[in-house]
Amino acid sequence: MLSAAHDILKKQESQNATAPTPAALVADFQGGNSSSNSSSRYDCNPVSTAAVLLADILPTLVIKLTAPFVIHKLPYGFRVLVCSLMAATSFLIVSFSSAVWISILGVVFASVSAGLGELSFLSLTVFFSRDVLGGWGSGTGGAGVFGALLYSAFTQAGLSPQVTLLIMLVIPFAMLVSYFVLLVPPPSLPQWKNKETEYTAVGSEERRQLMDDSEGEEQEVSAPEDRSTGPLTFTEKLHIIRGLLKFVFPLGLVYFAEYFINQGLMELLYFPNFFLSHAEQYRWYQTLYQCGVLVSRSSLCCVKIRNLWALSLLQVVNAVFLLFAVGYQFLPSAWLVFAIIVYEGLLGGAAYVNTFYFISKETEDRQREFAMAAASVGDSLGIALAGLVAFPVHRYFCNL
């Protein structure tokens, strides 16, 4: 959806300017070489691509802020069904939309799918070996590359964005198959039953052992022990959240700087004499960013970085540098921007996967499922703030 952001806004501009035929709509939606704003040296869309970012992230943010407190009442099987349905709906709405507000509505459906899916699958990791976090990191990184690369490749090959988004309907179907057919759930996983899941993450062998020993060792399984195995109280959840702030703040700062670049500056980093059009440059910025994310999110087996604040500082430096590059236009070629964008993705992916690895490692068994879901708000909060800041920045540069 973020790769399609420039095209979504391009389509709205063409509709506002004239009353085009369907054929002309397809051509304009492909993001051709014509300028969106001939009076601006940045070839701006009337609305920043941050509009699509906010539609993409605000529903996710709301879900991540509230769902960890109540989501345990919804079994995982139902969550996955809802995620797949929302994703398929988003592709259909955006591909058949006739106005940008309808496309934005479709992006909102995608956001609901992403928000519910991320916190649910991060919680699911506690039912498996900690090594699964490496697979989660590679999978999410690969998903970004796969989506952005396919969108860029298909549109570059001449397919309209509408057809490209319809082809992507295979993804929600693949999600259902991978979860319900390929994945072998452990016995402790509450797949369809509605029950408290905060304490089901405790190893099934440990619970079985406690049950077997309970008759002869009632004194050991006393009130303190019950508190260590029962559902988390609201007060305990707030205490866990306070302990997560040391992870959430640096992760949020990394993603604030990252998406300020992606949705606030990338559209303005336009090189008119380059062999790619403006829309094509934007798509490949998004694709290369996702490539960097994939590499770093897959690096957990090779290197682990505990100093998350260092990654945050480097990403902020990256954002400040590119802000000056937009303002003074001193970068000579898009090739240099491509390299910087890959580096940006490396920093963001490393911050993400290491954050959740160390949360998993340093959190108690009983608290881990809630902690993994609650901490996922960090990146979404940073992205939402980036979208809000990107609006005035976009307006300022486009009015130059």
Side-chain angles (χ1 to χ4, degrees), residues 116-196:
L116 178 61
E118 183 175 17
L119 69 87
S120 296
F121 285 115
L122 278 170
S123 298
L124 266 176
T125 63
V126 308
F127 293 93
F128 300 87
S129 163
R130 191 171 291 127
D131 293 337
V132 80
L133 280 170
W136 165 260
S138 298
T140 53
V145 172
F146 184 73
L149 185 61
L150 275 187
Y151 185 83
S152 297
F154 284 165
T155 53
Q156 193 87 18
L159 291 178
S160 71
Q162 291 96 326
V163 173
T164 300
L165 290 175
L166 289 175
I167 292 174
M168 292 294 182
L169 283 171
V170 71
I171 302 303
F173 176 75
M175 180 180 175
L176 291 174
V177 172
S178 65
Y179 182 80
F180 290 109
V181 179
L182 298 181
L183 181 68
V184 180
S188 59
L189 177 63
Q191 184 72 286
W192 296 110
K193 295 181 180 179
N194 185 7
K195 61 180 181 179
E196 298 292 323

Side-chain angles (χ1 to χ4, degrees), residues 6-48:
H6 191 279
D7 290 338
I8 289 172
L9 297 174
K10 188 77 173 179
K11 178 183 180 181
Q12 172 66 6
E13 180 206 353
S14 66
Q15 287 180 328
N16 288 341
T18 60
T21 63
L25 266 180
V26 172
D28 285 338
F29 196 24
Q30 283 183 295
N33 293 317
S34 61
S35 290
S36 300
N37 183 355
S38 58
S39 63
S40 171
R41 59 181 174 173
Y42 296 102
D43 188 34
C44 297
N45 277 299
V47 181
S48 169

Side-chain angles (χ1 to χ4, degrees), residues 143-281:
V145 172
F146 184 73
L149 185 61
L150 275 187
Y151 185 83
S152 297
F154 284 165
T155 53
Q156 193 87 18
L159 291 178
S160 71
Q162 291 96 326
V163 173
T164 300
L165 290 175
L166 289 175
I167 292 174
M168 292 294 182
L169 283 171
V170 71
I171 302 303
F173 176 75
M175 180 180 175
L176 291 174
V177 172
S178 65
Y179 182 80
F180 290 109
V181 179
L182 298 181
L183 181 68
V184 180
S188 59
L189 177 63
Q191 184 72 286
W192 296 110
K193 295 181 180 179
N194 185 7
K195 61 180 181 179
E196 298 292 323
T197 62
E198 281 90 349
Y199 57 94
T200 58
V202 179
S204 57
E205 293 184 4
E206 295 179 14
R207 289 201 303 277
R208 209 176 294 117
Q209 203 170 22
L210 285 172
M211 294 171 62
D212 293 340
D213 296 343
S214 61
E215 294 183 1
E217 302 180 14
E218 292 184 2
Q219 292 182 348
E220 293 186 35
V221 189
S222 57
E225 184 68 21
D226 288 338
R227 286 197 298 271
S228 69
T229 58
L232 294 169
T233 65
F234 182 76
T235 302
E236 287 176 313
K237 290 179 178 180
L238 292 180
H239 179 73
I240 294 171
I241 290 174
R242 285 197 295 270
L244 292 174
L245 294 181
K246 61 184 177 182
F247 296 103
V248 171
F249 283 151
L251 181 64
L253 183 58
V254 166
Y255 273 81
F256 169 79
E258 194 166 321
Y259 277 82
F260 175 71
I261 295 170
N262 288 2
Q263 306 305 125
L265 302 180
M266 275 188 185
E267 185 187 4
L268 304 175
L269 290 165
Y270 169 50
F271 296 85
N273 296 324
F274 201 62
F275 72 94
L276 297 174
S277 70
H278 191 180
E280 291 165 349
Q281 289 178 42

